[in-house]
Amino acid sequence: MPPPKKAAKKAAKKATGHHDPHKAAKDARRTFEHLGRVQAIAKLTNSESETLAFLSQTADRAFRAGQYKDSADLLRAAEHLSFASLYREATETVADNLKATIKDEFDHLLERAEDHANHHSAPKEVHALMERMTKEAKAALKRGSYRAALEFARGAEALAHVDELKPAELSAGKEQKRLQD
């Protein structure tokens, strides 16, 4: 029996590098949604305000350069960092089977982060933040702060997707798009 046509079309698109025209719009929408969450959560904690400002400014720069996916991933990392900072000092008592599930997800996230980081050329500041979040994730897991551990790991994984950022000036001649005015 032949494979379904959809799978063949999808494989052909991947092989030819076909670009989905709706992907940029989806990534721009994701950027908008993550920014709103970061702004809302940031009001609850001040512990990471400088890092959140850095991520927001870098996301804005990526957005202006038309790198909507990188912009969304930077703000996704900021969102996870915000949640992690809320749970940073908390420790949770969880059932052993849940601990095992959490550990599996934790390991999976850090493995994905490492794999993606090997395929992308993130700016050194973003890479350094990814490494810090990975270390904080491991420390949080060790002390039993499971929510913080998962959020730090998810943030590190999000940063691992960020590629080298183009200067916003490359989009000269086009109307400058900004995350917020």
Side-chain angles (χ1 to χ4, degrees):
M1 181 173 189
K5 289 184 180 184
K6 284 186 180 181
K9 285 181 183 179
K10 193 173 187 179
K13 285 181 183 179
K14 262 190 173 177
T16 61
H18 179 74
H19 179 70
D20 181 0
H22 302 289
K23 183 145 178 43
K26 178 184 171 189
D27 289 332
R29 177 195 46 80
R30 286 180 51 231
T31 298
F32 171 77
E33 290 177 2
H34 287 299
L35 178 62
R37 291 183 199 120
V38 168
Q39 289 172 334
I41 299 165
K43 295 174 184 175
L44 302 175
T45 181
N46 293 326
S47 66
E48 291 287 351
S49 59
E50 287 182 31
T51 305
L52 294 174
F54 163 75
L55 288 169
S56 294
Q57 291 164 1
T58 306
D60 185 56
R61 198 175 87 226
F63 193 88
R64 285 184 279 129
Q67 291 178 266
Y68 304 126
K69 183 183 178 316
D70 289 328
S71 182
D73 286 330
L74 286 159
L75 289 171
R76 182 167 61 103
E79 183 180 337
H80 289 300
L81 178 60
S82 297
F83 279 115
S85 68
L86 291 174
Y87 290 107
R88 180 177 270 132
E89 301 305 320
T91 55
E92 295 103 10
T93 303
V94 297
D96 287 342
N97 61 340
L98 182 55
K99 280 184 193 176
T101 302
I102 290 169
K103 178 76 166 96
D104 288 346
E105 177 65 8
F106 180 85
D107 291 340
H108 173 73
L109 288 165
L110 292 186
E111 188 176 295
R112 283 181 51 142
E114 185 178 326
D115 183 49
H116 287 299
N118 290 333
H119 292 72
H120 292 87
S121 301
K124 65 181 179 182
E125 299 89 353
V126 171
H127 187 74
L129 180 55
M130 185 191 84
E131 288 179 347
R132 178 176 74 96
M133 289 180 76
T134 299
K135 286 179 185 173
E136 291 212 36
K138 290 176 181 178
L141 185 70
K142 190 174 184 176
R143 71 176 174 273
S145 186
Y146 299 108
R147 287 185 177 98
L150 288 171
E151 291 296 338
F152 279 125
R154 284 192 178 96
E157 192 269 338
L159 289 175
H161 287 272
V162 176
D163 217 341
E164 194 63 42
L165 300 174
K166 297 180 275 187
E169 295 78 54
L170 290 180
S171 60
K174 297 180 184 177
E175 181 182 324
Q176 286 287 324
K177 297 173 187 155
R178 295 188 57 89
L179 285 172
Q180 53 187 346
D181 290 320

